[in-house]
Amino acid sequence: MKPEKQREFELASRFAQFRHKPIYVDYNATTPVDPAVLEEMFPYFSESFGNPSSFNWYGLKAKEAIDQARSRVADCLGCQPHEIIFTSGGTESNNLAIKGVAYACQYRGNHIITSAIEHPSVYMPCEYLRKQGFDITYVPVDEYGIVSVDDIRNAIKNSTILISVMHANNEVGTIQPIEEIGLMSKELGIYFHTDAAQSFGKIPVNVDDLGVDLLTLTGHKFYAPKCSGALYVREGTKIDPLINGSPQEFGLRAGTESVPSIVGLGKACHVISSSLEKISDHLLRLRERLFEQLVSEIPGIRLNGHPTQRVPNTLNISFPGVHAKELLAATPEIAASTGVMSHSQPEEISHVLKAMGVEERYALGAIRLSVGRWTSDTDVDDIVDYLSSRYFSLVERKTA
């Protein structure tokens, strides 16, 4: 049996013994679609199915829906609707931002600055450009995963055309000093991009407050459907399209728009606009409840990331003396993520924890628990019970 099939078989066998689904605490990986979002999307799969580029009743209805969605996203970010470009998600948005600026501005420079803990959808485009002759600088982070504004300033050259630093890290949740970097980049006339995939929908994200020229959103991180996303492009920013064809999305992203996905993205933003503070408070309360209970149950737990300067839903903790994969395998009642790259052989610690200087013994025991809008107090209490009991069983087995 092939390794992939063997793994699928083992997972299916492991979960078959449970009558109920595992408790989901992997909201940083993806979120379920909000029922209100799904309801608003549904008509655009059937009766309102028109092509928004068609000048007939069906096309105009579709275009009207896209215009409304664009306004909703813009309202959330504090920008103008024409500064929103709809994409298929965060990866495309990041590629469009980084490659688009690189190609459009290579006449005046070829240097790009980013951080050592970026998501692969930023890191890989930078590496692609490096192979094409661009000069890429990866600025380090401290033990909390925070980049130094001074380090970025010291990395700037006459040839620097773009700075790209994520707003919040996907693994540890640490929030970067984006406002300070934004002020500096504006002062020096350098374009500034931030990947806000993990911050949007959890904390306020306003493009003028942050001082960014480009900002990435991905819908499936905030209860919109997968394959929905947007890139904010400040008016006047020079950027080349990556997909060429018809002039959709102001000429920056050719191709017939996925109207249901865009409508869903707009509705999810509308929900955030009206209830962000309530959502954020709920997430923070549950995260702190989870952390406090785990600390009281298991001695020696280590927090990875900044103690307070984190998005409110993210808790990355190392369990001493065990491997995270073993602990999660022994606890199929919960769905979470580890700090080890899941597809690598042999096991490789995540580049984020490496960059933060987390010791291997702690990094191998790191688990990311990310709560969401539908996580409950009961869920938190059950997670603590499951993890603590399985943890002590594993430790006992290792020391026997």
Side-chain angles (χ1 to χ4, degrees):
M1 187 180 291
K2 292 182 178 180
E4 296 84 0
K5 293 294 182 183
Q6 178 67 30
R7 182 172 180 274
E8 290 175 11
F9 175 78
E10 290 173 355
L11 285 172
S13 301
R14 191 184 305 150
F15 293 137
Q17 60 184 302
F18 298 100
R19 295 172 57 195
H20 304 291
K21 294 178 182 178
I23 301 169
Y24 190 75
V25 273
D26 203 17
Y27 282 85
N28 279 14
T30 194
T31 60
V33 176
D34 185 330
V37 169
L38 187 61
E39 182 180 5
E40 191 146 332
M41 291 172 61
F42 190 75
Y44 297 94
F45 288 108
S46 50
E47 64 262 27
S48 299
F49 61 87
N51 185 325
S53 297
S54 296
F55 196 70
N56 56 45
W57 186 88
Y58 294 94
L60 292 175
K61 288 288 288 183
K63 185 179 184 304
E64 182 181 285
I66 288 179
D67 289 345
Q68 181 187 50
R70 203 183 306 277
S71 293
R72 284 174 161 179
V73 178
D75 286 345
C76 256
L77 293 176
C79 66
Q80 297 300 312
H82 67 269
E83 296 175 309
I84 298 298
I85 308 301
F86 289 120
T87 68
S88 63
T91 294
E92 184 186 340
S93 292
N94 284 336
N95 272 262
L96 177 56
I98 294 165
K99 294 178 183 175
V101 168
Y103 294 146
C105 298
Q106 59 186 325
Y107 68 94
R108 64 181 181 87
N110 71 338
H111 183 228
I112 296 171
I113 299 171
T114 188
S115 84
I117 60 167
E118 296 297 314
H119 189 271
S121 60
V122 166
Y123 171 78
M124 294 306 293
C126 286
E127 282 299 286
Y128 175 83
L129 290 171
R130 184 180 62 80
K131 292 174 183 176
Q132 291 194 337
F134 283 83
D135 181 15
I136 312 294
T137 296
Y138 296 97
V139 176
V141 295
D142 65 14
E143 62 186 295
Y144 299 118
I146 297 179
V147 69
S148 163
V149 179
D150 287 338
D151 284 348
I152 292 178
R153 185 182 292 275
N154 292 336
I156 291 172
K157 307 176 182 180
N158 290 334
S159 57
T160 304
I161 54 175
L162 177 68
I163 299 169
S164 180
V165 176
M166 63 187 356
H167 193 190
N169 183 259
N170 51 299
E171 291 191 30
V172 298
T174 297
I175 299 170
Q176 301 296 341
I178 299 301
E179 295 91 340
E180 296 174 57
I181 301 171
L183 284 172
M184 178 182 64
S185 64
K186 184 177 181 181
E187 169 194 322
L188 298 174
I190 299 169
Y191 287 144
F192 180 33
H193 164 252
T194 192
D195 178 358
Q198 292 293 348
S199 59
F200 187 79
K202 301 167 189 172
I203 59 175
V205 177
N206 180 285
V207 294
D208 286 336
D209 291 344
L210 296 176
V212 296
D213 301 295
L214 305 110
L215 182 144
T216 290
L217 299 181
T218 184
H220 77 105
K221 305 294 188 183
F222 55 92
Y223 309 90
K226 295 175 180 64
C227 290
S228 66
L231 177 67
Y232 159 73
V233 181
R234 187 177 293 277
E235 185 174 5
T237 301
K238 293 183 183 298
I239 183 170
D240 280 357
L242 300 185
I243 301 174
N244 301 108
S246 299
Q248 290 94 347
E249 296 305 302
F250 310 107
L252 288 179
R253 206 276 185 178
T256 301
E257 298 94 339
S258 175
V259 181
S261 296
I262 291 171
V263 167
L265 187 78
K267 177 61 175 180
C269 288
H270 184 63
V271 171
I272 289 167
S273 292
S274 61
S275 54
L276 179 60
E277 185 176 354
K278 182 180 177 181
I279 292 168
S280 184
D281 289 346
H282 171 74
L283 298 176
L284 181 60
R285 184 182 64 79
L286 289 175
R287 186 196 76 187
E288 291 304 288
R289 179 188 182 104
L290 180 57
F291 183 52
E292 289 167 7
Q293 289 191 31
L294 284 171
V295 167
S296 68
E297 291 288 331
I298 303 173
I301 276 185
R302 170 196 168 107
L303 174 68
N304 299 311
H306 196 277
T308 58
Q309 200 169 314
R310 273 181 296 148
V311 284
N313 80 316
T314 305
L315 179 63
N316 189 303
I317 45 177
S318 292
F319 292 79
V322 300
H323 279 210
K325 281 188 173 182
E326 292 178 334
L327 181 53
L328 286 183
T331 319
E333 296 93 343
I334 70 171
S337 294
T338 72
V340 176
M341 295 178 69
S342 58
H343 300 297
S344 58
Q345 292 293 335
E347 287 185 347
E348 184 181 346
I349 298 166
S350 85
H351 73 288
V352 174
L353 298 182
K354 273 186 179 178
M356 290 167 57
V358 176
E359 294 179 48
E360 183 175 337
R361 63 194 176 105
Y362 290 118
L364 288 172
I367 291 178
R368 182 187 69 186
L369 302 166
S370 47
V371 299
R373 278 164 47 190
W374 288 294
T375 307
S376 68
D377 289 324
T378 301
D379 289 336
V380 168
D381 297 342
D382 288 344
I383 289 166
V384 173
D385 289 342
Y386 289 134
L387 281 175
S388 58
S389 63
R390 304 302 161 73
Y391 170 78
F392 287 116
S393 294
L394 280 175
V395 171
E396 184 178 344
R397 195 184 311 161
K398 288 176 179 290
T399 56

